[in-house]
């Protein structure tokens, strides 16, 4: 088979997969014919983007609007990344049409001043040069999203209508989650539709594994992707944009910032999407610097959260997976939800309580992540189990059977507490829970219910004894979320190396980028636009 | 494969696919799956295994041919007496057609232990001082032994016997072998939180069972002097008004379908709280000087968007 044949077979199959919304674009065809001399590219485009999430799609639209051809490589079988399973939270202000409609006077300067506040831990660690870019483009990006088909709810999260949510995508079969609504679909599908309509080509099931750098000029000239075992080399005439979505799924990477974050902690968005640090690692191999790392380890913000749905592996807050989700085979269980923490106690893998269960701040998480008692695994806090009885099940109105719970390692029941301790099996449970310890823990807690005072952890008026069989243990280990630091970039989103030099031809945006640790999708779209525009205009 | 005495010699192997844990309950069945295979790919299914050890004389072997192997399933009963024990599985030497299969042996050991028992205590009330009350006690054997007719005992911290009960003949419905008894007790004469120990002694059972103890607590309450009637008004609630838990300190009641609960309490200041999963929790302090009527407005529980309130600045 000739080289041209190989290229043709790759592109046809992938483009058919990718073309559901808007058919084939022009870029790939140009790429097939435009392989540059001296480079063994399978495909080429002006701008090549790794990742078809919010920042990648925004970069693609902006690059196409600037006249550049675009190829996106996406490792997943569908677009969206973290954004499509998110709550569609978008933080953009500075004088948007929505703000004006609600009589809010805002400006870029006000946005800037907010996001550099020293008394706000989330803003304290921002790179103020990047913050200025965010402030100046904030309102413009909001209107740009509307122009590209995104529909916003006319409600605000918090003051000043800076923070709001998108409207769920109306095509049911194009949602990843089903109920309750995952509003990020309205953002991502709209951007995807716009990007495809404007001619961006999206190669699904293509995972970037390496960047290609000219050894003489150090300019990044393309990337290498792996598609189901095949290597695909994609050349970028003007630039490569890393929009790979952060690092919190990568245990080795995340532990650079916090050694406690060992493998037992899941990441929100999984199992649909994994934040595996592909972009950061590829760029770091070329000498790229990380930036804003204080944000990732600060005791504030959205990098960790309490399990909202217990007894299942994937219990991130508003991601309440239901059996009609297209990926429920991976999710396996929805979880027992709307937990009133008076109905349960939380214990470590050894069966001991460690904190007031009704709390959820960073003191709570510090206790969750505290030493689990395993001398062979000193870091990480180990699994956290919610222990409750059949009375709690009745009060909560739960049905503790599949698909609500996952008995394959994340939910257990037994007729006595000692027996319950003995049946807990999970790959992250490195110690056997002692039945005697769990009995003693519960007996002591029950006495606090009698006295009305939690002498150990100050839970406000412990309300219910855990006494009536059967007894239950439900996985309730905290969940990681945002990547709040990433690659160092300049105000044009060009990646900077450890010598503070620009790595020509390489850009980063979204959660792969450091310096602006905002929760939500506003920063992803905004800096994606900056990267896409600059790369398209790069010569 | 080697040659000996003019014949081809094959060396079969035995592999334990399923066997006993490090500890097994005395007198219980232990399941085995042993894979026999010949390194030269011979069909070893025709070579029956020999099992030696406790209970082996009654073993029933169920072989299943796999590709290039034969898996044999069987069950053995562990000895009734605790202590170390072992079984040996042999593949006898066998020869035919110019090929001799050497013998192979697999020794499997475990520790036979007394059956572990565990206890649950529920329906523990907050009795009035000096009053009779009862609790439910359940006992379970790790090997699901029938425990009907056995006795459970409730002791004071000092070891003084305070009460006992006989486990029922049938397991608690819905349980997996939890036998239960009702034990009548007498509350102390003074108020406060008290601890009691429940003991189940199974040493005399055959096979032997471990003795187990568990602790429970209760609060002895001052006798009430007056009644507080709480009327819950909740026009925004979709569900009926019944089942809302009403507490005045340790004194408890529950609303009927009309949203009315009557709780008897001593005179004094009490912490009032109302709870049901679908209403916003209500808490207040109430001074009770005599029979009292309270009207409480309840609201549906606010559903918090999980993407909000995630900042702990």
């Amino acid at each position: 088979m000739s080289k041209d044949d190989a290229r043709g077979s790759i592109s046809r199959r992938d483009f058919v997969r990718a073309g559901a919304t808007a058919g084939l674009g022009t870029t790939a065809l140009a790429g097939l014919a435009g392989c540059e001399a001296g480079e063994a590219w399978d495909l080429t485009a002006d701008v090549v983007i790794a990742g078809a999430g919010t920042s990648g799609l925004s970069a693609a639209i902006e690059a196409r609007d600037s006249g550049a051809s675009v190829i996106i490589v996406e490792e997943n079988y569908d677009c969206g990344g973290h954004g499509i399973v998110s709550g569609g939270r978008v933080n953009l202000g500075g004088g948007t049409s929505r703000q004006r409609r609600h009589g809010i006077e805002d400006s870029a300067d006000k946005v800037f001043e907010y996001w550099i506040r020293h008394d706000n831990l989330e803003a304290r660690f921002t790179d103020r040069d990047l913050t200025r870019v965010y402030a100046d483009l904030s309102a413009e990006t909001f209107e740009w999203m509307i122009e590209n088909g995104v529909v916003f709810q006319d409600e605000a999260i918090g003051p000043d209508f800076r923070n709001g949510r998108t409207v769920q995508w109306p095509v049911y079969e194009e949602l990843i989650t089903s109920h309750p609504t995952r509003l990020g679909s309205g953002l991502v599908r709209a951007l995807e539709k716009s990007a495809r309509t404007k001619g961006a080509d999206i190669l699904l099931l293509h995972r970037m594994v390496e960047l290609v750098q000219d050894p003489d000029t150090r300019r990044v000239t393309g990337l290498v992707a792996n598609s189901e075992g095949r290597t695909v080399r994609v050349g970028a005439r003007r630039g490569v944009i890393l929009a790979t979505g952060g690092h919190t799924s990568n245990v080795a990477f995340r532990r650079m910032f916090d050694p406690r974050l060992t493998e037992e902690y899941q990441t929100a968005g999984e199992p649909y999407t994994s934040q595996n640090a592909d972009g950061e690692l590829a760029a770091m191999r070329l000498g790229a610097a990380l930036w804003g790392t204080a944000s990732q380890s600060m005791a504030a913000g959205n990098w960790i959260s309490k399990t909202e749905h217990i007894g299942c592996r994937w219990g991130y807050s508003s991601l309440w997976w239901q059996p009609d989700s297209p990926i429920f085979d991976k999710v396996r269980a929805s979880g027992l939800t709307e937990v009133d923490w008076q109905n349960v106690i939380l214990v470590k893998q050894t069966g001991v309580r460690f904190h007031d269960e009704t709390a959820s701040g960073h003191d709570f998480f510090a206790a969750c992540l505290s030493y689990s008692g395993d001398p062979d695994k000193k870091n990480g806090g180990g699994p956290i189990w919610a222990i409750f009885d059949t009375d709690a099940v009745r009060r909560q109105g739960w049905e503790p059977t599949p698909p609500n719970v996952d008995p394959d390692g994340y939910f257990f029941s037994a007729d006595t507490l000692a027996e319950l301790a003995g049946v807990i099996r999970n790959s992250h449970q490195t110690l056997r829970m002692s039945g005697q310890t769990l009995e003693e823990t519960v007996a002591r807690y029950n006495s606090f219910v009698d006295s009305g005072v939690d002498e150990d952890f100050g839970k406000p008026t412990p309300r219910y004894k855990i006494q009536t069989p059967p007894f239950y243990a439900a996985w309730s280990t905290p969940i990681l979320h945002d990547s709040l630091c990433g690659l160092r970039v300049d105000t044009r989103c060009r990646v900077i190396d450890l010598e503070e030099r620009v790595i020509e031809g390489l850009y980063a945006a979204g959660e792969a980028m450091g310096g602006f640790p905002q929760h939500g999708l506003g920063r992803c779209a905004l800096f994606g636009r900056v990267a896409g525009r600059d790369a398209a205009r790069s010569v | 494969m080697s040659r000996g005495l003019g014949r081809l010699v094959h060396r079969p192997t035995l592999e334990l696919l399923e066997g006993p844990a490090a500890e097994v309950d005395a007198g219980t069945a232990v399941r085995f799956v042993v894979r026999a295979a010949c390194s030269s790919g011979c069909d070893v299914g025709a070579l029956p295994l020999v099992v030696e050890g406790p209970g082996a004389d009654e073993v029933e072997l169920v072989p299943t041919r796999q590709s290039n192997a034969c898996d044999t399933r069987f069950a053995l009963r562990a000895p009734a007496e605790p202590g170390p024990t072992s079984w040996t599985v042999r593949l006898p030497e066998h020869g035919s057609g110019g090929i001799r299969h050497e013998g192979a042996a697999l020794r499997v050991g475990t520790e036979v232990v007394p059956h572990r028992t565990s206890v649950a205590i529920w329906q523990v009330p907050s009795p009035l001082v000096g009053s009779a009350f009862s609790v439910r006690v359940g006992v379970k054997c790790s090997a699901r032994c029938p425990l009907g007719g056995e006795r459970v005992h409730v002791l004071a911290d000092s070891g003084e016997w305070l009460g006992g009960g006989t486990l029922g003949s049938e397991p608690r419905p819905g349980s997996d072998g939890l036998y239960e008894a009702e034990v009548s007790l007498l509350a102390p004469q003074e108020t406060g939180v008290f601890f009691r120990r429940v003991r189940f002694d199974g040493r005399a059972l055959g096979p032997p069972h471990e003795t187990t103890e568990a602790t429970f607590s209760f609060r002895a309450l001052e006798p009430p002097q007056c009644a507080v009637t709480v009327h819950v008004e909740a026009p925004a609630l979709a569900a009926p008004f019944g089942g809302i838990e009403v507490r005045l300190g340790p004194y408890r009641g529950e609303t009927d379908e009309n949203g009315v609960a009557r709780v008897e309490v001593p005179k004094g200041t009490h912490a009032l709280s109302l709870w049901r999963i679908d209403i916003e929790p209500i808490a207040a302090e109430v001074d009770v000087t005599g029979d009292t009527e309270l009207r409480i407005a309840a609201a549906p529980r606010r559903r918090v968007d999980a993407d909000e309130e995630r900042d702990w600045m």
Side-chain angles (χ1 to χ4, degrees), chain A residues 466-478:
Chain A
I466 298 166
Q467 58 175 349
T468 308
F471 300 94
Y472 302 95
W475 179 264
S476 193
T477 309

Side-chain angles (χ1 to χ4, degrees), chain A residues 52-260:
Chain A
T54 302
S55 55
L57 292 167
S58 299
I61 294 168
E62 198 68 48
R64 288 295 298 141
D65 285 346
S66 299
S69 58
V70 172
I71 292 175
I72 305 178
V73 295
E74 164 58 50
E75 72 167 313
N76 213 344
Y77 69 91
D78 197 353
C79 294
H82 220 129
I84 199 168
V85 292
S86 78
R89 177 167 163 154
V90 176
N91 192 325
L92 294 169
T96 66
S97 56
R98 186 176 60 173
Q99 288 178 305
R100 291 195 299 275
R101 191 164 58 250
H102 289 277
I104 306 294
E105 286 189 22
D106 200 3
S107 68
D109 286 344
K110 286 182 180 177
V111 171
F112 177 72
E113 286 161 13
Y114 177 85
W115 280 101
I116 61 168
R117 279 172 51 175
H118 68 88
D119 57 349
N120 179 329
L121 286 176
E122 195 175 21
R124 176 184 295 172
F125 301 113
T126 58
D127 177 325
R128 292 166 199 159
D129 290 321
L130 296 175
T131 305
R132 189 69 241 183
V133 173
Y134 169 78
D136 289 343
L137 295 179
S138 192
E140 176 193 312
T141 298
F142 184 85
E143 311 306 335
W144 175 90
M145 292 171 86
I146 293 172
E147 288 166 15
N148 282 281
V150 178
V151 180
F152 285 92
Q153 298 191 20
D154 202 23
E155 297 173 351
I157 303 173
D160 297 337
F161 274 88
R162 278 186 191 156
N163 209 345
R165 280 170 294 214
T166 51
V167 172
Q168 179 176 298
W169 188 244
V171 184
Y172 183 82
E173 60 270 24
E174 291 181 11
L175 303 179
I176 299 300
T177 55
S178 45
H179 176 81
T181 60
R182 296 307 295 158
L183 306 178
S185 64
L187 189 155
V188 170
R189 290 299 187 201
L191 295 182
E192 178 194 352
K193 182 177 180 180
S194 178
R196 290 186 187 277
T197 301
K198 291 178 176 179
D201 287 311
I202 304 172
L203 306 185
L204 300 174
L205 293 172
H206 281 62
R207 180 178 184 177
M208 181 198 67
V209 293
E210 188 181 357
L211 291 165
V212 180
Q213 189 178 35
D214 185 306
D216 298 323
T217 66
R218 296 184 68 250
R219 181 180 179 83
V220 172
T221 57
L223 58 79
V224 179
N226 184 288
S227 179
E228 299 181 283
R230 292 174 298 112
T231 297
V232 181
R233 295 171 61 85
V234 188
R237 285 184 285 265
R238 300 186 189 176
V240 172
I241 299 172
L242 299 172
T244 43
H247 67 260
T248 42
S249 298
N250 185 319
V251 176
F253 202 95
R254 73 195 188 200
R255 291 192 66 204
M256 287 195 290
F257 313 111
D258 188 339
R260 299 172 300 174

Side-chain angles (χ1 to χ4, degrees), chain A residues 15 91 112 131 136 156 204 272 284 320 328 352 360 369 372 393 417 493 529:
Chain A
F15 294 163
N91 192 325
F112 177 72
T131 305
D136 289 343
L204 300 174
Y272 177 69
M284 288 168 74
W320 191 30
F328 199 75
V352 298
S360 60
L369 271 58
S372 72
V393 169
L417 288 162
C493 286
R529 292 184 63 216

Side-chain angles (χ1 to χ4, degrees), chain A residues 87 89 122 165 301-302 308 316-318 338 340 362 396 415-416 419 447 450 463-465 467 469, chain B residues 118 122 140 172 176 195 217-219 245 247 273 275 277 301 303 305-307 310-313:
Chain A
R89 177 167 163 154
E122 195 175 21
R165 280 170 294 214
N302 293 277
E308 294 274 332
Y316 176 71
S317 60
S318 52
E338 296 188 19
D340 185 310
H362 277 264
Q396 289 273 176
D415 289 327
T416 66
E419 184 186 29
S447 76
D450 284 321
R463 198 170 175 87
Y464 299 110
K465 288 187 175 183
Q467 58 175 349
Chain B
S118 54
W122 66 101
K140 183 166 184 179
R172 175 177 163 82
D176 185 22
F195 291 87
S217 61
F218 62 90
R219 180 169 180 170
E245 187 189 82
R247 289 192 185 186
S273 66
W275 189 94
I277 190 67
R301 185 170 289 220
R303 303 178 84 89
D305 185 311
D307 274 342
R310 279 283 172 274
D311 303 309
W312 302 285
M313 305 303 172

Side-chain angles (χ1 to χ4, degrees), chain A residues 490-510:
Chain A
D490 65 8
T491 55
R492 294 159 60 185
C493 286
R494 298 181 300 175
V495 175
I496 307 297
D497 72 10
L498 288 165
E499 307 290 330
E500 301 206 310
R501 298 172 302 184
V502 168
I503 300 177
E504 295 291 345
L506 185 62
Y507 296 79

Side-chain angles (χ1 to χ4, degrees), chain B residues 157-180:
Chain B
D157 264 353
S158 61
E160 177 190 2
W161 186 89
L162 298 175
T166 302
L167 298 175
S169 58
E170 296 296 324
R172 175 177 163 82
S175 76
D176 185 22
L178 182 72
Y179 289 80
E180 58 184 322

